[in-house]
Amino acid sequence: MSTNRSVAAAGPALISTTAITWLKNRGVFTGPNTKGYILKGRCFMHLDKIDRKLLDLVQDNFPLIPEPYRKLGEIIGVSENEVLARLKRMRDEGVIRRLGAMFESRKLGYSGTLCAMQVEPDRVDEVAAVINSFSGVTHNYLREHQINMWFTVLAGSKDELSEILGLIRERTGIGEIMDLPAEEVFKVRVNFSL
């Protein structure tokens, strides 16, 4: 995990929080139930009390210090190595898709926008693959509407953002992309209390 380096390089002023990105599996909700199991595809994965406490801490109180995993271990009563092993296991098993810092992208000079487009149902997977091939695409999801594919793009500049949207138009053959840049930012924090 490279969170230590990312946190140290950016400094706390540009970091809003740490985040876990949960397993993305279209059509199947992934989340905890009351018995501590995570739905993964069609099977359940058991999380013990330590796993759940660790996930809560990583979401809410990830320590911004040189040895955060050691500190997490102290809080929950296990070693740093066990913390790392548990996080690796949960990542390998798909409970955690990504563990990393969330940066204030505007303060770092990035430009972002929300986009929407109409995609024929039989082309959804193909078009999604094109859109998802760009590293700046942070979300991509379907809605039940004529304008059905929505995605967010983050780029190093407005010119780069425009270039990415142009490439998506070219590679999908869909010329109409709604470009909806944020006029005002409201941070909404979503955690999954385990």
Side-chain angles (χ1 to χ4, degrees):
M1 307 229 174
S2 61
T3 304
N4 282 351
R5 285 188 294 256
S6 299
V7 169
L14 299 177
I15 300 170
S16 59
T17 183
T18 56
I20 295 173
T21 303
W22 299 90
L23 179 68
K24 190 166 58 175
N25 189 348
R26 199 176 82 186
V28 177
F29 173 75
T30 302
N33 68 12
T34 56
K35 295 180 181 175
Y37 290 82
I38 294 290
L39 178 63
K40 180 188 176 193
R42 293 189 174 126
C43 64
F44 290 95
M45 181 178 304
H46 177 71
L47 298 178
D48 65 19
K49 287 175 89 172
I50 294 174
D51 289 334
R52 286 182 272 136
K53 179 69 177 169
L54 179 57
L55 289 173
D56 282 341
L57 285 170
V58 168
Q59 291 180 94
D60 289 332
N61 295 303
F62 191 89
L64 298 178
I65 58 176
E67 296 181 287
Y69 303 105
R70 181 182 305 276
K71 181 65 177 175
L72 290 171
E74 288 172 7
I75 294 169
I76 60 177
V78 299
S79 70
E80 178 182 33
N81 286 339
E82 185 171 344
V83 167
L84 291 168
R86 284 175 178 269
L87 291 173
K88 181 180 183 319
R89 176 181 49 81
M90 288 189 277
R91 189 179 65 184
D92 290 347
E93 293 176 351
V95 174
I96 299 173
R97 188 169 57 120
R98 177 182 166 273
L99 175 63
M102 291 176 57
F103 298 95
E104 295 292 343
S105 57
R106 287 183 173 201
K107 290 183 179 178
L108 294 171
Y110 283 81
S111 294
T113 191
L114 170 66
C115 298
M117 59 199 297
Q118 181 177 351
V119 179
E120 294 299 321
D122 62 337
R123 294 194 61 207
V124 164
D125 288 340
E126 169 205 343
V127 172
V130 171
I131 292 169
N132 294 347
S133 71
F134 292 91
S135 62
V137 173
T138 58
H139 297 81
N140 187 1
Y141 54 95
L142 290 174
R143 299 184 77 180
E144 292 182 19
H145 187 269
Q146 184 178 359
I147 308 298
N148 55 348
M149 188 167 288
W150 293 72
F151 58 96
T152 55
V153 186
L154 194 61
S157 66
K158 288 184 178 180
D159 288 342
E160 185 182 343
L161 185 61
S162 179
E163 181 182 334
I164 290 170
L165 295 181
L167 289 170
I168 290 173
R169 287 184 183 95
E170 179 184 314
R171 293 177 186 173
T172 62
I174 300 173
E176 188 76 29
I177 298 178
M178 295 173 63
D179 181 3
L180 307 163
E183 295 180 1
E184 194 167 344
V185 176
F186 299 93
K187 287 287 184 187
V188 177
R189 186 180 176 93
V190 177
N191 286 345
F192 297 94
S193 179
L194 301 170

